[in-house]
Amino acid sequence: SNSKIFLTTREREVLNMLSQGSSSRDISAQLYISSNTVEYHRKQLLRKTASRNVAHLISNAYKLRLLRVDD
């Protein structure tokens, strides 16, 4: 059912880090991107998964099989 949802490699990296509890600052530092860029990816993820916030994003990502329990 996630065939309609295309995530870029970077969006997948950000999603995985968010799912592990990383802050925007952590993500920015680890991926060598600005905090504005992290914010952009976060907003894209929320939009693509029709999520209200990061908690909803993670929940939806599991339902959509964008994240797996063993990742």
Side-chain angles (χ1 to χ4, degrees), residues 11 18 20 25 29 48 55 60-61 63:
E11 286 166 350
L18 288 170
Q20 290 158 21
R25 182 178 283 180
K48 289 181 177 186
N60 284 340
K63 288 178 190 162

Side-chain angles (χ1 to χ4, degrees), residues 1 3 5-7 11 13 16 20-23 28 31 33-34 36 38-39 42-43 46 55 61-62 64 68 71:
S1 64
S3 56
I5 297 177
F6 173 78
L7 298 184
E11 286 166 350
E13 290 172 329
N16 284 323
Q20 290 158 21
S22 297
S23 68
S28 168
L31 298 182
I33 57 180
S34 74
N36 283 342
V38 175
E39 184 72 3
R42 196 179 59 76
K43 283 187 172 144
L46 292 174
Y62 280 105
L64 294 163
R68 282 179 217 78
D71 277 359

